[in-house]
Amino acid sequence: MSKSKLSAVPIANSLDDLRNVVNGWKAGGKSVMLVPTMGALHEGHLSLVRIARRKADRVVVSIFVNPAQFAPHEDFQEYPREFEGDAAKLAGEQVDLIYAPKPDVMYAPGASTTVQVEALSSQLCGISRPHFFGGVATIVTKLLIQCAPDMAIFGEKDYQQLLVIRALVRDLSLPVEICAGPIIRDKNGLALSSRNAYLTPEQRRTAPMLNRMMLRAADRITEGADISAVLQHTRSELLKSGFDKIDYLEIHDAETLAPVANKITSPARLFAAAWLGQTRLIDNIAL
Ligand code: AMP
């Protein structure tokens, strides 16, 4: 076990260290919540930590930039890594343990087992990033088995990911309760994301249009406007406002992710993924 220079939070880099601490808590009857992250922490992550603090006796935050959820052409190398700053933020939230596994703890040499959640992974981000949910499902399954928390929490910012994780927990009978936290946004509506750091000042001015136009589209749809016409119009407005490419702007069932083409008959959400230069933004809102 080590401690960061700037933080009072103990840090486990190995599986033995993690398990020793968690087993000690459990022997003392304490409940444990895991908050999985890739670091470069912002208020969205910290909001999950605060929910965890309220619900559980002990909070573990994992920080691991998972190579398996990046395709070779994606931003694994550039992804922001700010460990000392993250540790200081987590100390401010009275987190009990940071789990920052070394890469070979998560991927032993020769590792060849993966977890795939077939149905939910075939929509939305699963189409534009086909490698992504396999990487996420495998690493989250591993983190849940390694830490064996009573609860784990994920953000609705990555709503499809949340559903994938609920499905794998159900399908593999993992003994953990999955909790969700709402999307935390900038004052201008932009959903917070570690990747927002990539945006140029000009792109930062354009980025909030995504949420603004999604809200406008949602209003028109709930007022009864034709869904495909509204979505078509919103796509072209986004491109006009400066977005370079739209991977999707679609309505899907909030539980099954089945596409909703022309009539909303059960809880549904509007989902979007759009590019500003090299940066891909995602967002979703309830209808
Ligand atoms: P990441 O570090 O991007 O893998 O995210 C770690 C966790 O934080 C995931 O459960 C995300 O859904 C969640 N998260 C990221 N951004 C936000 C946000 N703006 N609001 C709420 N949760 C978020």
Side-chain angles (χ1 to χ4, degrees):
M1 295 280 286
S2 60
K3 278 199 176 170
S4 155
K5 276 182 236 129
L6 294 175
S7 127
V9 185
I11 299 165
N13 298 118
S14 74
L15 185 50
D16 279 349
D17 282 349
L18 171 71
R19 286 199 168 140
N20 283 340
V21 175
V22 173
N23 288 344
W25 292 336
K26 288 191 165 177
K30 303 295 186 198
S31 62
V32 181
M33 172 100 79
L34 174 66
V35 186
T37 81
M38 297 208 298
L41 302 179
H42 50 64
E43 278 297 310
H45 299 109
L46 299 183
S47 72
L48 301 182
V49 170
R50 289 173 200 137
I51 297 173
R53 232 338 8 123
R54 287 202 299 277
K55 287 185 162 236
D57 299 318
R58 297 287 181 267
V59 176
V60 181
V61 174
S62 64
I63 299 180
F64 182 68
V65 184
N66 174 28
Q69 66 192 68
F70 294 79
H73 62 276
E74 291 183 344
D75 57 336
F76 176 69
Q77 297 300 339
E78 298 78 41
Y79 198 84
R81 289 160 173 85
E82 303 165 2
F83 189 80
E84 288 295 333
D86 289 346
K89 287 177 191 165
L90 295 176
E93 302 295 333
Q94 285 97 46
V95 162
D96 298 288
L97 182 70
I98 296 172
Y99 178 44
K102 299 215 165 67
D104 64 355
V105 177
M106 302 314 283
Y107 296 103
S112 68
T113 305
T114 59
V115 178
Q116 294 287 341
V117 179
E118 302 289 349
L120 290 165
S121 307
S122 64
Q123 304 280 350
L124 299 168
C125 284
I127 296 171
S128 25
R129 304 183 72 198
H131 56 283
F132 177 69
F133 288 113
V136 168
T138 303
I139 207 76
V140 171
T141 302
K142 238 185 120 112
L143 286 169
L144 293 175
I145 291 172
Q146 290 180 331
C147 180
D150 301 283
M151 293 166 275
I153 185 160
F154 298 85
E156 288 185 345
K157 156 86 183 352
D158 302 278
Y159 190 89
Q160 185 176 13
Q161 169 175 287
L162 171 66
L163 293 186
V164 164
I165 289 160
R166 285 195 196 283
L168 77 84
V169 163
R170 179 199 63 210
D171 295 352
L172 301 176
S173 308
L174 297 182
V176 60
E177 179 191 338
I178 300 300
C179 307
I183 303 175
I184 305 301
R185 301 178 179 281
D186 250 340
K187 280 198 278 296
N188 60 21
L190 176 65
L192 298 189
S193 163
S194 306
R195 288 191 168 98
N196 293 352
Y198 300 151
L199 298 173
T200 64
E202 193 190 338
Q203 291 169 338
R204 279 202 163 265
R205 283 191 288 279
T206 307
M209 295 305 285
L210 180 61
N211 183 247
R212 209 170 301 155
M213 291 191 181
M214 288 174 73
L215 288 171
R216 216 175 283 162
D219 278 349
R220 294 192 53 213
I221 287 165
T222 37
E223 283 159 16
D226 178 73
I227 289 180
S228 63
V230 171
L231 296 182
Q232 188 54 38
H233 174 76
T234 308
R235 278 188 209 104
S236 66
E237 290 294 299
L238 281 169
L239 292 171
K240 263 191 241 157
S241 75
F243 281 86
D244 295 291
K245 186 177 154 214
I246 297 165
D247 280 350
Y248 56 78
L249 177 75
E250 292 170 10
I251 298 175
H252 288 252
D253 184 278
E255 275 180 32
T256 64
L257 288 190
V260 175
N262 39 44
K263 201 167 182 348
I264 298 174
T265 53
S266 55
R269 296 180 87 91
L270 175 60
F271 294 86
W275 292 83
L276 276 172
Q278 303 299 307
T279 305
R280 185 175 181 273
L281 304 180
I282 59 169
D283 202 345
N284 70 91
I285 57 178
L287 292 171

